[in-house]
């Protein structure tokens, strides 16, 4: 399952989606939203996605991981729009015959997603909001 | 002339002040020319220019790529999903 959703992610459902009788293990990564950023309190986040391209790249990442580690199944689900603190913003689930492949493929999938997939996060503070740039360039802009 | 549709995301959209625009370019236009045209039209984008990537028809353009009539060009600031 490869999805971008506007509602809370049903984590057990994503986990169940990679269930396979040949699997010796499932690795599950759940990215959650932090309540702080550079010492400031974050009230909530908003995610924006270039949906068709993001879905296509998430599918490519899943296919590459599947081929490279011989996985049974892989699912990647990301949220869009407002996400409250502590909620899951992204879930990656991977099943394989042995745990080593599951851990490695899961890490590859989330790392590659964060670096390449056109999705953006905006942090909202009491006094404004910023688009987050993982490379570290930030600029504070007052809320309109 | 060729017509391409440009869509802006996240901070690039805020700086450009629009989410979509149509441009007419010469038939030999490339993504490099497109970037120049974009910062000329939306000077506020200049501060982000070194960090912007262009995607053509939903794939990142590698280096300088030729543009064709009807292409969809996306202006992609540094991503921060996850």
């Amino acid at each position: 399952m490869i999805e971008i959703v506007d509602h809370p992610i049903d984590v057990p459902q994503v986990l169940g989606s990679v269930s396979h009788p040949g699997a010796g293990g499932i690795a599950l990564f759940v990215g959650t939203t932090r309540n702080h950023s550079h010492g400031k309190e974050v009230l909530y986040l908003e995610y924006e996605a270039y949906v068709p391209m993001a879905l296509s790249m998430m599918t490519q990442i899943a296919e590459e991981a599947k081929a490279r580690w011989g996985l049974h199944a892989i699912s990647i689900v990301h949220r869009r729009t407002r996400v409250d603190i502590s909620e899951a913003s992204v879930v990656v689930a991977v099943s394989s015959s042995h745990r080593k492949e599951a851990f490695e493929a899961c890490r590859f999938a989330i790392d590659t997603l964060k670096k390449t997939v056109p999705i953006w996060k905006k942090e909202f503070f009491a006094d404004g909001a910023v688009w987050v740039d993982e490379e570290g360039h930030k600029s504070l802009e007052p809320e309109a | 002339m060729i017509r391409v549709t440009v869509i802006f995301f996240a901070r690039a959209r805020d700086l450009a002040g629009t989410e979509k625009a149509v441009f007419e370019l010469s038939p030999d236009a490339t993504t490099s020319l497109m970037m120049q045209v974009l910062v000329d039209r939306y000077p506020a984008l200049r501060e982000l220019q070194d960090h912007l990537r262009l995607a053509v028809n939903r794939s990142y353009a590698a280096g300088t790529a030729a543009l064709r009539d009807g292409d969809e060009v996306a202006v992609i600031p540094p991503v921060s999903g996850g």
Side-chain angles (χ1 to χ4, degrees), chain B residues 13-36:
Chain B
R13 182 190 53 238
D14 292 351
L15 291 172
T18 183
E19 54 187 42
K20 199 171 187 176
V22 175
F23 287 83
E24 293 210 334
L25 305 169
S26 64
D28 60 352
T30 62
T31 47
S32 304
L33 175 80
M34 184 81 248
M35 187 67 91
Q36 198 51 54

Side-chain angles (χ1 to χ4, degrees), chain A residues 47-50 52-53 57 78 89-90 113-121 131-135 137 139 141, chain B residues 7-11 13-14 47 51 53 55 57-60 72-82:
Chain A
Y47 286 86
E48 175 176 331
Y50 179 14
M53 180 170 167
M57 292 193 69
H78 204 295
S89 52
V90 62
L113 178 150
K114 286 179 74 89
K115 273 185 277 191
T116 64
V117 176
I119 297 176
W120 301 269
K121 149 169 60 189
W131 287 106
V132 179
D133 171 350
E134 295 295 343
E135 290 165 37
H137 322 103
S139 51
E141 42 185 310
Chain B
I7 48 179
F8 301 86
F9 289 95
R11 186 152 167 70
R13 182 190 53 238
D14 292 351
E47 69 171 75
H51 308 287
R53 296 179 76 181
N57 301 328
R58 302 167 184 175
S59 291
Y60 285 117
E72 178 180 271
V73 175
V75 182
I76 311 228
V79 301
S80 54

Side-chain angles (χ1 to χ4, degrees), chain A residues 33-112:
Chain A
T33 45
R34 261 193 301 270
N35 69 353
H36 63 278
S37 174
H38 299 267
K40 287 187 75 173
E41 186 188 6
V42 178
L43 304 179
Y44 63 93
L45 295 95
E46 269 183 19
Y47 286 86
E48 175 176 331
Y50 179 14
V51 175
M53 180 170 167
L55 286 173
S56 135
M57 292 193 69
M58 286 157 69
T59 303
Q60 281 172 35
I61 292 168
E63 291 305 319
E64 186 182 342
K66 219 169 162 178
R68 198 158 143 193
W69 283 279
L71 306 176
H72 291 299
I74 174 168
S75 287
I76 308 174
V77 180
H78 204 295
R79 273 184 79 173
R80 197 175 64 150
T81 66
R82 177 176 168 143
V83 180
D84 288 321
I85 299 307
S86 297
E87 291 189 348
S89 52
V90 62
V91 177
V92 178
V94 167
S95 64
S96 62
S97 296
H98 303 285
R99 69 184 181 284
K100 183 171 182 281
E101 288 75 17
F103 277 125
E104 286 179 8
C106 189
R107 177 164 196 159
F108 163 83
I110 184 62
D111 286 356
T112 310

